[in-house]
Amino acid sequence: MSVDDLVITATSSVHWRTDDPPDVLPWLESRKSRKFMGKQDQLAVIAAGQALAAAGLRAPEARPAMGLYLTIGHIPFMREDIDAIAGESVDAAGAFDIQRFATEGVAQVNPLLTFRCLPNMPAYHVSQNFGLRGRYALAYPGVAQAACNLMHALDDLRGGRVAQALVGGVADQHNFLVGFHFERNAQRRLLVREDKAAMLVIEHREGARARGARVLGRWGRVQASLSSAADAAMALQHVGAADLFAWAHAQVQRGDALQREFVAQGLEGARVLAEFVPEDDA
């Protein structure tokens, strides 16, 4: 796919540190929505807000036709919640009972947990807080999925279906479900898990210059490949997307060419070739 008429006008990257978590409140349309948000939701909103502000697109009227293309992490469920629900969802013989699950089991946790665990909630919170009403696409968090989302965004831009595209990844890696799956596979145990989100703002060169935006660089081509090795594909399911966009953010901010194969965490199986040529016209 040749996309050299499409440019990046902003990037962002946010890490979650337990001892000093980032503050989502300045980016919320309503502070009350904070109670419905999990870690992934907050990371996505902060990264989106930073990218939109850097691109000069913070005001809602500046985003009439922006698309959102987000690669999200797996459901951030914790062990204590799973144990509490499971303990009250079995019959006298210890077998799972759907009736008890629907009545006693789910009642063991805070009802707001549902909102924090739904996989489309990061996209909802970004759209709600920044007024995005254009096309959208969601995918789970592998590098190949991230590349497909990126290509989807570039295709929509070339087809005139969106004026700008907010493209990125978010992942909550430090939760029970992700840790459980990592421990079941020798490849995964060696991986470094980070809670992060990163975003890119992509648009047509002509539109960016018309509104006085700084052009950071242009895309060359983007392509992805995924091997048929089931183990490699499984190992990539919990890593990659947020790392890919965070790496792209760092490259662009340094003014370095984003022109290399990105192999997810050194694992064989999925590769993304992204060509990006810096063009600082500030």
mmCIF file of all heavy atoms in Angstrom, residues 200-249:
data_model
loop_
_atom_site.group_PDB
_atom_site.id
_atom_site.type_symbol
_atom_site.label_atom_id
_atom_site.label_comp_id
_atom_site.label_asym_id
_atom_site.label_seq_id
_atom_site.Cartn_x
_atom_site.Cartn_y
_atom_site.Cartn_z
ATOM 1 N N LEU A 200 -1.130 7.847 17.237
ATOM 2 C CA LEU A 200 -0.652 8.649 16.119
ATOM 3 C C LEU A 200 -1.847 9.380 15.511
ATOM 4 O O LEU A 200 -2.947 8.823 15.419
ATOM 5 C CB LEU A 200 -0.033 7.775 15.022
ATOM 6 C CG LEU A 200 0.976 6.692 15.413
ATOM 7 C CD1 LEU A 200 1.355 5.895 14.169
ATOM 8 C CD2 LEU A 200 2.202 7.307 16.053
ATOM 9 N N VAL A 201 -1.649 10.620 15.104
ATOM 10 C CA VAL A 201 -2.649 11.350 14.320
ATOM 11 C C VAL A 201 -2.154 11.391 12.887
ATOM 12 O O VAL A 201 -1.049 11.880 12.612
ATOM 13 C CB VAL A 201 -2.874 12.780 14.845
ATOM 14 C CG1 VAL A 201 -3.836 13.536 13.921
ATOM 15 C CG2 VAL A 201 -3.439 12.746 16.264
ATOM 16 N N ILE A 202 -2.960 10.852 11.976
ATOM 17 C CA ILE A 202 -2.582 10.754 10.568
ATOM 18 C C ILE A 202 -3.627 11.490 9.728
ATOM 19 O O ILE A 202 -4.834 11.382 9.988
ATOM 20 C CB ILE A 202 -2.494 9.284 10.121
ATOM 21 C CG1 ILE A 202 -1.579 8.492 11.059
ATOM 22 C CG2 ILE A 202 -1.979 9.186 8.689
ATOM 23 C CD1 ILE A 202 -1.584 6.991 10.793
ATOM 24 N N GLU A 203 -3.176 12.236 8.735
ATOM 25 C CA GLU A 203 -4.104 12.963 7.867
ATOM 26 C C GLU A 203 -3.450 13.245 6.520
ATOM 27 O O GLU A 203 -2.266 12.942 6.310
ATOM 28 C CB GLU A 203 -4.560 14.267 8.524
ATOM 29 C CG GLU A 203 -3.443 15.168 9.008
ATOM 30 C CD GLU A 203 -3.970 16.312 9.856
ATOM 31 O OE1 GLU A 203 -4.818 17.072 9.355
ATOM 32 O OE2 GLU A 203 -3.529 16.441 11.017
ATOM 33 N N HIS A 204 -4.224 13.825 5.604
ATOM 34 C CA HIS A 204 -3.680 14.197 4.305
ATOM 35 C C HIS A 204 -2.771 15.408 4.452
ATOM 36 O O HIS A 204 -3.039 16.321 5.236
ATOM 37 C CB HIS A 204 -4.814 14.526 3.325
ATOM 38 C CG HIS A 204 -5.535 13.320 2.821
ATOM 39 N ND1 HIS A 204 -5.071 12.562 1.768
ATOM 40 C CD2 HIS A 204 -6.679 12.736 3.239
ATOM 41 C CE1 HIS A 204 -5.904 11.560 1.545
ATOM 42 N NE2 HIS A 204 -6.891 11.635 2.427
ATOM 43 N N ARG A 205 -1.718 15.416 3.680
ATOM 44 C CA ARG A 205 -0.774 16.529 3.722
ATOM 45 C C ARG A 205 -1.482 17.860 3.443
ATOM 46 O O ARG A 205 -1.263 18.863 4.141
ATOM 47 C CB ARG A 205 0.332 16.315 2.701
ATOM 48 C CG ARG A 205 1.403 17.394 2.713
ATOM 49 C CD ARG A 205 2.357 17.216 1.524
ATOM 50 N NE ARG A 205 2.973 15.904 1.553
ATOM 51 C CZ ARG A 205 4.059 15.608 2.269
ATOM 52 N NH1 ARG A 205 4.608 16.524 3.041
ATOM 53 N NH2 ARG A 205 4.580 14.401 2.221
ATOM 54 N N GLU A 206 -2.330 17.885 2.424
ATOM 55 C CA GLU A 206 -3.015 19.119 2.040
ATOM 56 C C GLU A 206 -3.878 19.652 3.182
ATOM 57 O O GLU A 206 -3.875 20.851 3.489
ATOM 58 C CB GLU A 206 -3.876 18.869 0.800
ATOM 59 C CG GLU A 206 -4.594 20.106 0.294
ATOM 60 C CD GLU A 206 -5.413 19.823 -0.958
ATOM 61 O OE1 GLU A 206 -5.252 18.725 -1.535
ATOM 62 O OE2 GLU A 206 -6.206 20.695 -1.352
ATOM 63 N N GLY A 207 -4.626 18.735 3.842
ATOM 64 C CA GLY A 207 -5.482 19.158 4.946
ATOM 65 C C GLY A 207 -4.678 19.650 6.135
ATOM 66 O O GLY A 207 -5.048 20.620 6.801
ATOM 67 N N ALA A 208 -3.568 18.974 6.413
ATOM 68 C CA ALA A 208 -2.721 19.370 7.537
ATOM 69 C C ALA A 208 -2.156 20.771 7.315
ATOM 70 O O ALA A 208 -2.168 21.616 8.225
ATOM 71 C CB ALA A 208 -1.599 18.364 7.721
ATOM 72 N N ARG A 209 -1.663 21.034 6.118
ATOM 73 C CA ARG A 209 -1.087 22.342 5.837
ATOM 74 C C ARG A 209 -2.149 23.430 5.798
ATOM 75 O O ARG A 209 -1.907 24.573 6.197
ATOM 76 C CB ARG A 209 -0.311 22.288 4.526
ATOM 77 C CG ARG A 209 0.996 21.514 4.674
ATOM 78 C CD ARG A 209 1.827 21.524 3.418
ATOM 79 N NE ARG A 209 3.169 20.999 3.683
ATOM 80 C CZ ARG A 209 4.014 20.631 2.741
ATOM 81 N NH1 ARG A 209 3.654 20.735 1.472
ATOM 82 N NH2 ARG A 209 5.206 20.176 3.055
ATOM 83 N N ALA A 210 -3.357 23.073 5.347
ATOM 84 C CA ALA A 210 -4.437 24.058 5.280
ATOM 85 C C ALA A 210 -4.810 24.585 6.658
ATOM 86 O O ALA A 210 -5.204 25.746 6.804
ATOM 87 C CB ALA A 210 -5.657 23.440 4.602
ATOM 88 N N ARG A 211 -4.677 23.728 7.679
ATOM 89 C CA ARG A 211 -5.015 24.194 9.025
ATOM 90 C C ARG A 211 -3.766 24.572 9.829
ATOM 91 O O ARG A 211 -3.853 24.823 11.038
ATOM 92 C CB ARG A 211 -5.817 23.125 9.774
ATOM 93 C CG ARG A 211 -5.111 21.822 10.041
ATOM 94 C CD ARG A 211 -6.020 20.804 10.734
ATOM 95 N NE ARG A 211 -5.293 19.620 11.144
ATOM 96 C CZ ARG A 211 -4.564 19.536 12.249
ATOM 97 N NH1 ARG A 211 -4.513 20.558 13.080
ATOM 98 N NH2 ARG A 211 -3.912 18.431 12.557
ATOM 99 N N GLY A 212 -2.635 24.645 9.158
ATOM 100 C CA GLY A 212 -1.412 25.104 9.799
ATOM 101 C C GLY A 212 -0.763 24.106 10.724
ATOM 102 O O GLY A 212 0.011 24.478 11.616
ATOM 103 N N ALA A 213 -1.032 22.817 10.523
ATOM 104 C CA ALA A 213 -0.462 21.790 11.396
ATOM 105 C C ALA A 213 0.986 21.495 11.022
ATOM 106 O O ALA A 213 1.382 21.606 9.861
ATOM 107 C CB ALA A 213 -1.286 20.511 11.303
ATOM 108 N N ARG A 214 1.766 21.114 12.009
ATOM 109 C CA ARG A 214 3.148 20.724 11.777
ATOM 110 C C ARG A 214 3.189 19.304 11.224
ATOM 111 O O ARG A 214 2.626 18.383 11.808
ATOM 112 C CB ARG A 214 3.926 20.784 13.087
ATOM 113 C CG ARG A 214 5.368 20.298 12.982
ATOM 114 C CD ARG A 214 6.002 20.243 14.357
ATOM 115 N NE ARG A 214 7.347 19.683 14.310
ATOM 116 C CZ ARG A 214 8.063 19.368 15.372
ATOM 117 N NH1 ARG A 214 7.553 19.562 16.578
ATOM 118 N NH2 ARG A 214 9.271 18.844 15.247
ATOM 119 N N VAL A 215 3.838 19.108 10.103
ATOM 120 C CA VAL A 215 3.984 17.779 9.507
ATOM 121 C C VAL A 215 5.275 17.160 10.019
ATOM 122 O O VAL A 215 6.358 17.709 9.827
ATOM 123 C CB VAL A 215 3.999 17.864 7.972
ATOM 124 C CG1 VAL A 215 4.341 16.500 7.374
ATOM 125 C CG2 VAL A 215 2.649 18.342 7.453
ATOM 126 N N LEU A 216 5.143 16.021 10.701
ATOM 127 C CA LEU A 216 6.316 15.348 11.257
ATOM 128 C C LEU A 216 6.971 14.407 10.253
ATOM 129 O O LEU A 216 8.157 14.124 10.345
ATOM 130 C CB LEU A 216 5.913 14.558 12.500
ATOM 131 C CG LEU A 216 5.300 15.380 13.643
ATOM 132 C CD1 LEU A 216 4.885 14.465 14.782
ATOM 133 C CD2 LEU A 216 6.278 16.433 14.129
ATOM 134 N N GLY A 217 6.182 13.907 9.318
ATOM 135 C CA GLY A 217 6.745 12.999 8.328
ATOM 136 C C GLY A 217 5.662 12.338 7.508
ATOM 137 O O GLY A 217 4.473 12.512 7.773
ATOM 138 N N ARG A 218 6.082 11.579 6.498
ATOM 139 C CA ARG A 218 5.125 10.918 5.612
ATOM 140 C C ARG A 218 5.282 9.409 5.684
ATOM 141 O O ARG A 218 6.352 8.886 5.998
ATOM 142 C CB ARG A 218 5.321 11.378 4.168
ATOM 143 C CG ARG A 218 6.677 10.997 3.588
ATOM 144 C CD ARG A 218 6.791 11.428 2.139
ATOM 145 N NE ARG A 218 8.127 11.213 1.619
ATOM 146 C CZ ARG A 218 8.575 10.047 1.150
ATOM 147 N NH1 ARG A 218 7.770 8.991 1.134
ATOM 148 N NH2 ARG A 218 9.806 9.935 0.693
ATOM 149 N N TRP A 219 4.209 8.716 5.375
ATOM 150 C CA TRP A 219 4.254 7.256 5.308
ATOM 151 C C TRP A 219 4.794 6.825 3.954
ATOM 152 O O TRP A 219 4.544 7.464 2.941
ATOM 153 C CB TRP A 219 2.848 6.659 5.478
ATOM 154 C CG TRP A 219 2.361 6.720 6.877
ATOM 155 C CD1 TRP A 219 1.427 7.583 7.380
ATOM 156 C CD2 TRP A 219 2.792 5.896 7.964
ATOM 157 N NE1 TRP A 219 1.256 7.350 8.728
ATOM 158 C CE2 TRP A 219 2.073 6.328 9.108
ATOM 159 C CE3 TRP A 219 3.715 4.862 8.088
ATOM 160 C CZ2 TRP A 219 2.252 5.738 10.351
ATOM 161 C CZ3 TRP A 219 3.891 4.272 9.321
ATOM 162 C CH2 TRP A 219 3.170 4.709 10.441
ATOM 163 N N GLY A 220 5.509 5.732 3.937
ATOM 164 C CA GLY A 220 5.895 5.097 2.692
ATOM 165 C C GLY A 220 4.925 3.958 2.431
ATOM 166 O O GLY A 220 3.892 4.112 1.817
ATOM 167 N N ARG A 221 5.205 2.808 3.007
ATOM 168 C CA ARG A 221 4.283 1.674 2.883
ATOM 169 C C ARG A 221 4.214 0.934 4.199
ATOM 170 O O ARG A 221 5.123 1.014 5.026
ATOM 171 C CB ARG A 221 4.716 0.733 1.762
ATOM 172 C CG ARG A 221 6.092 0.131 1.954
ATOM 173 C CD ARG A 221 6.595 -0.535 0.674
ATOM 174 N NE ARG A 221 7.979 -0.955 0.818
ATOM 175 C CZ ARG A 221 8.353 -2.230 0.904
ATOM 176 N NH1 ARG A 221 7.450 -3.192 0.875
ATOM 177 N NH2 ARG A 221 9.629 -2.539 1.018
ATOM 178 N N VAL A 222 3.138 0.216 4.369
ATOM 179 C CA VAL A 222 2.918 -0.556 5.582
ATOM 180 C C VAL A 222 2.424 -1.936 5.167
ATOM 181 O O VAL A 222 1.524 -2.064 4.341
ATOM 182 C CB VAL A 222 1.861 0.100 6.496
ATOM 183 C CG1 VAL A 222 1.657 -0.719 7.761
ATOM 184 C CG2 VAL A 222 2.277 1.513 6.860
ATOM 185 N N GLN A 223 3.011 -2.971 5.716
ATOM 186 C CA GLN A 223 2.539 -4.315 5.445
ATOM 187 C C GLN A 223 2.826 -5.198 6.649
ATOM 188 O O GLN A 223 3.690 -4.900 7.469
ATOM 189 C CB GLN A 223 3.188 -4.886 4.190
ATOM 190 C CG GLN A 223 4.706 -5.067 4.305
ATOM 191 C CD GLN A 223 5.340 -5.473 2.994
ATOM 192 O OE1 GLN A 223 5.131 -4.826 1.973
ATOM 193 N NE2 GLN A 223 6.118 -6.545 3.024
ATOM 194 N N ALA A 224 2.051 -6.272 6.779
ATOM 195 C CA ALA A 224 2.215 -7.188 7.907
ATOM 196 C C ALA A 224 2.187 -8.615 7.403
ATOM 197 O O ALA A 224 1.577 -8.920 6.379
ATOM 198 C CB ALA A 224 1.106 -6.980 8.928
ATOM 199 N N SER A 225 2.882 -9.484 8.133
ATOM 200 C CA SER A 225 2.833 -10.907 7.808
ATOM 201 C C SER A 225 2.764 -11.689 9.101
ATOM 202 O O SER A 225 3.328 -11.289 10.117
ATOM 203 C CB SER A 225 4.076 -11.322 7.012
ATOM 204 O OG SER A 225 5.247 -11.128 7.797
ATOM 205 N N LEU A 226 2.047 -12.791 9.068
ATOM 206 C CA LEU A 226 1.892 -13.650 10.242
ATOM 207 C C LEU A 226 2.132 -15.084 9.810
ATOM 208 O O LEU A 226 1.514 -15.566 8.856
ATOM 209 C CB LEU A 226 0.478 -13.511 10.812
ATOM 210 C CG LEU A 226 0.154 -14.288 12.084
ATOM 211 C CD1 LEU A 226 0.993 -13.772 13.240
ATOM 212 C CD2 LEU A 226 -1.328 -14.162 12.422
ATOM 213 N N SER A 227 3.040 -15.767 10.486
ATOM 214 C CA SER A 227 3.337 -17.146 10.118
ATOM 215 C C SER A 227 2.220 -18.063 10.581
ATOM 216 O O SER A 227 1.347 -17.667 11.346
ATOM 217 C CB SER A 227 4.656 -17.590 10.749
ATOM 218 O OG SER A 227 4.454 -17.905 12.113
ATOM 219 N N SER A 228 2.269 -19.294 10.146
ATOM 220 C CA SER A 228 1.251 -20.262 10.539
ATOM 221 C C SER A 228 1.611 -20.972 11.833
ATOM 222 O O SER A 228 0.901 -21.874 12.270
ATOM 223 C CB SER A 228 1.056 -21.305 9.428
ATOM 224 O OG SER A 228 2.281 -21.979 9.176
ATOM 225 N N ALA A 229 2.721 -20.590 12.446
ATOM 226 C CA ALA A 229 3.148 -21.242 13.685
ATOM 227 C C ALA A 229 2.197 -20.857 14.815
ATOM 228 O O ALA A 229 2.176 -19.721 15.255
ATOM 229 C CB ALA A 229 4.577 -20.834 14.033
ATOM 230 N N ALA A 230 1.399 -21.818 15.238
ATOM 231 C CA ALA A 230 0.370 -21.525 16.239
ATOM 232 C C ALA A 230 0.968 -21.017 17.542
ATOM 233 O O ALA A 230 0.443 -20.094 18.162
ATOM 234 C CB ALA A 230 -0.459 -22.775 16.506
ATOM 235 N N ASP A 231 2.100 -21.585 17.954
ATOM 236 C CA ASP A 231 2.684 -21.183 19.225
ATOM 237 C C ASP A 231 3.162 -19.740 19.173
ATOM 238 O O ASP A 231 2.964 -18.972 20.114
ATOM 239 C CB ASP A 231 3.854 -22.094 19.591
ATOM 240 C CG ASP A 231 4.330 -21.876 21.022
ATOM 241 O OD1 ASP A 231 3.501 -22.026 21.934
ATOM 242 O OD2 ASP A 231 5.495 -21.550 21.213
ATOM 243 N N ALA A 232 3.775 -19.359 18.055
ATOM 244 C CA ALA A 232 4.238 -17.981 17.920
ATOM 245 C C ALA A 232 3.059 -17.024 17.909
ATOM 246 O O ALA A 232 3.089 -15.972 18.532
ATOM 247 C CB ALA A 232 5.057 -17.834 16.645
ATOM 248 N N ALA A 233 2.006 -17.399 17.176
ATOM 249 C CA ALA A 233 0.822 -16.532 17.121
ATOM 250 C C ALA A 233 0.205 -16.377 18.493
ATOM 251 O O ALA A 233 -0.189 -15.276 18.900
ATOM 252 C CB ALA A 233 -0.201 -17.122 16.142
ATOM 253 N N MET A 234 0.113 -17.458 19.261
ATOM 254 C CA MET A 234 -0.443 -17.376 20.605
ATOM 255 C C MET A 234 0.427 -16.497 21.499
ATOM 256 O O MET A 234 -0.062 -15.709 22.298
ATOM 257 C CB MET A 234 -0.553 -18.767 21.225
ATOM 258 C CG MET A 234 -1.714 -19.582 20.684
ATOM 259 S SD MET A 234 -3.313 -18.852 21.084
ATOM 260 C CE MET A 234 -3.301 -19.060 22.873
ATOM 261 N N ALA A 235 1.735 -16.619 21.356
ATOM 262 C CA ALA A 235 2.648 -15.843 22.196
ATOM 263 C C ALA A 235 2.515 -14.354 21.927
ATOM 264 O O ALA A 235 2.792 -13.536 22.793
ATOM 265 C CB ALA A 235 4.083 -16.293 21.957
ATOM 266 N N LEU A 236 2.068 -13.992 20.725
ATOM 267 C CA LEU A 236 1.956 -12.581 20.366
ATOM 268 C C LEU A 236 0.624 -11.969 20.773
ATOM 269 O O LEU A 236 0.432 -10.770 20.646
ATOM 270 C CB LEU A 236 2.133 -12.433 18.853
ATOM 271 C CG LEU A 236 3.551 -12.696 18.360
ATOM 272 C CD1 LEU A 236 3.545 -12.877 16.854
ATOM 273 C CD2 LEU A 236 4.458 -11.555 18.752
ATOM 274 N N GLN A 237 -0.300 -12.764 21.259
ATOM 275 C CA GLN A 237 -1.625 -12.235 21.508
ATOM 276 C C GLN A 237 -1.669 -11.194 22.635
ATOM 277 O O GLN A 237 -2.556 -10.365 22.666
ATOM 278 C CB GLN A 237 -2.596 -13.376 21.840
ATOM 279 C CG GLN A 237 -2.971 -14.210 20.648
ATOM 280 C CD GLN A 237 -3.550 -13.384 19.518
ATOM 281 O OE1 GLN A 237 -4.522 -12.668 19.693
ATOM 282 N NE2 GLN A 237 -2.946 -13.448 18.350
ATOM 283 N N HIS A 238 -0.741 -11.243 23.559
ATOM 284 C CA HIS A 238 -0.792 -10.326 24.687
ATOM 285 C C HIS A 238 0.253 -9.227 24.624
ATOM 286 O O HIS A 238 0.396 -8.473 25.575
ATOM 287 C CB HIS A 238 -0.633 -11.111 25.995
ATOM 288 C CG HIS A 238 -1.770 -12.026 26.263
ATOM 289 N ND1 HIS A 238 -3.017 -11.583 26.618
ATOM 290 C CD2 HIS A 238 -1.867 -13.370 26.195
ATOM 291 C CE1 HIS A 238 -3.826 -12.624 26.778
ATOM 292 N NE2 HIS A 238 -3.144 -13.705 26.519
ATOM 293 N N VAL A 239 1.022 -9.155 23.556
ATOM 294 C CA VAL A 239 2.059 -8.135 23.465
ATOM 295 C C VAL A 239 2.052 -7.559 22.062
ATOM 296 O O VAL A 239 1.532 -8.155 21.137
ATOM 297 C CB VAL A 239 3.461 -8.715 23.756
ATOM 298 C CG1 VAL A 239 3.547 -9.222 25.161
ATOM 299 C CG2 VAL A 239 3.813 -9.823 22.770
ATOM 300 N N GLY A 240 2.645 -6.395 21.920
ATOM 301 C CA GLY A 240 2.922 -5.933 20.581
ATOM 302 C C GLY A 240 2.298 -4.633 20.157
ATOM 303 O O GLY A 240 3.013 -3.711 19.775
ATOM 304 N N ALA A 241 0.974 -4.498 20.183
ATOM 305 C CA ALA A 241 0.335 -3.335 19.580
ATOM 306 C C ALA A 241 0.751 -2.037 20.248
ATOM 307 O O ALA A 241 1.211 -1.101 19.588
ATOM 308 C CB ALA A 241 -1.176 -3.498 19.625
ATOM 309 N N ALA A 242 0.584 -1.963 21.563
ATOM 310 C CA ALA A 242 0.966 -0.743 22.269
ATOM 311 C C ALA A 242 2.466 -0.491 22.125
ATOM 312 O O ALA A 242 2.905 0.658 22.010
ATOM 313 C CB ALA A 242 0.572 -0.833 23.745
ATOM 314 N N ASP A 243 3.259 -1.584 22.115
ATOM 315 C CA ASP A 243 4.705 -1.445 21.944
ATOM 316 C C ASP A 243 5.044 -0.879 20.566
ATOM 317 O O ASP A 243 5.936 -0.040 20.427
ATOM 318 C CB ASP A 243 5.385 -2.808 22.111
ATOM 319 C CG ASP A 243 5.127 -3.419 23.469
ATOM 320 O OD1 ASP A 243 5.613 -2.865 24.457
ATOM 321 O OD2 ASP A 243 4.421 -4.439 23.528
ATOM 322 N N LEU A 244 4.333 -1.333 19.549
ATOM 323 C CA LEU A 244 4.570 -0.857 18.193
ATOM 324 C C LEU A 244 4.331 0.642 18.097
ATOM 325 O O LEU A 244 5.169 1.389 17.576
ATOM 326 C CB LEU A 244 3.655 -1.601 17.210
ATOM 327 C CG LEU A 244 3.605 -1.062 15.770
ATOM 328 C CD1 LEU A 244 4.986 -1.155 15.140
ATOM 329 C CD2 LEU A 244 2.581 -1.827 14.957
ATOM 330 N N PHE A 245 3.212 1.117 18.626
ATOM 331 C CA PHE A 245 2.900 2.538 18.521
ATOM 332 C C PHE A 245 3.783 3.387 19.431
ATOM 333 O O PHE A 245 4.125 4.521 19.094
ATOM 334 C CB PHE A 245 1.422 2.774 18.796
ATOM 335 C CG PHE A 245 0.528 2.219 17.718
ATOM 336 C CD1 PHE A 245 -0.302 1.135 17.954
ATOM 337 C CD2 PHE A 245 0.537 2.773 16.447
ATOM 338 C CE1 PHE A 245 -1.106 0.611 16.958
ATOM 339 C CE2 PHE A 245 -0.263 2.257 15.432
ATOM 340 C CZ PHE A 245 -1.081 1.172 15.691
ATOM 341 N N ALA A 246 4.164 2.842 20.605
ATOM 342 C CA ALA A 246 5.080 3.568 21.489
ATOM 343 C C ALA A 246 6.453 3.712 20.833
ATOM 344 O O ALA A 246 7.102 4.762 20.929
ATOM 345 C CB ALA A 246 5.200 2.847 22.830
ATOM 346 N N TRP A 247 6.901 2.644 20.155
ATOM 347 C CA TRP A 247 8.165 2.703 19.426
ATOM 348 C C TRP A 247 8.080 3.725 18.298
ATOM 349 O O TRP A 247 8.993 4.523 18.086
ATOM 350 C CB TRP A 247 8.498 1.319 18.879
ATOM 351 C CG TRP A 247 9.615 1.302 17.889
ATOM 352 C CD1 TRP A 247 10.955 1.394 18.148
ATOM 353 C CD2 TRP A 247 9.482 1.199 16.474
ATOM 354 N NE1 TRP A 247 11.661 1.340 16.967
ATOM 355 C CE2 TRP A 247 10.792 1.229 15.930
ATOM 356 C CE3 TRP A 247 8.385 1.077 15.615
ATOM 357 C CZ2 TRP A 247 11.016 1.142 14.559
ATOM 358 C CZ3 TRP A 247 8.617 0.987 14.255
ATOM 359 C CH2 TRP A 247 9.922 1.019 13.739
ATOM 360 N N ALA A 248 6.962 3.735 17.566
ATOM 361 C CA ALA A 248 6.781 4.703 16.488
ATOM 362 C C ALA A 248 6.815 6.133 17.037
ATOM 363 O O ALA A 248 7.425 7.024 16.441
ATOM 364 C CB ALA A 248 5.459 4.439 15.773
ATOM 365 N N HIS A 249 6.166 6.340 18.190
ATOM 366 C CA HIS A 249 6.176 7.663 18.830
ATOM 367 C C HIS A 249 7.615 8.112 19.118
ATOM 368 O O HIS A 249 8.003 9.243 18.811
ATOM 369 C CB HIS A 249 5.373 7.610 20.130
ATOM 370 C CG HIS A 249 5.687 8.720 21.095
ATOM 371 N ND1 HIS A 249 5.169 9.993 20.939
ATOM 372 C CD2 HIS A 249 6.454 8.748 22.212
ATOM 373 C CE1 HIS A 249 5.622 10.761 21.926
ATOM 374 N NE2 HIS A 249 6.399 10.032 22.699
#
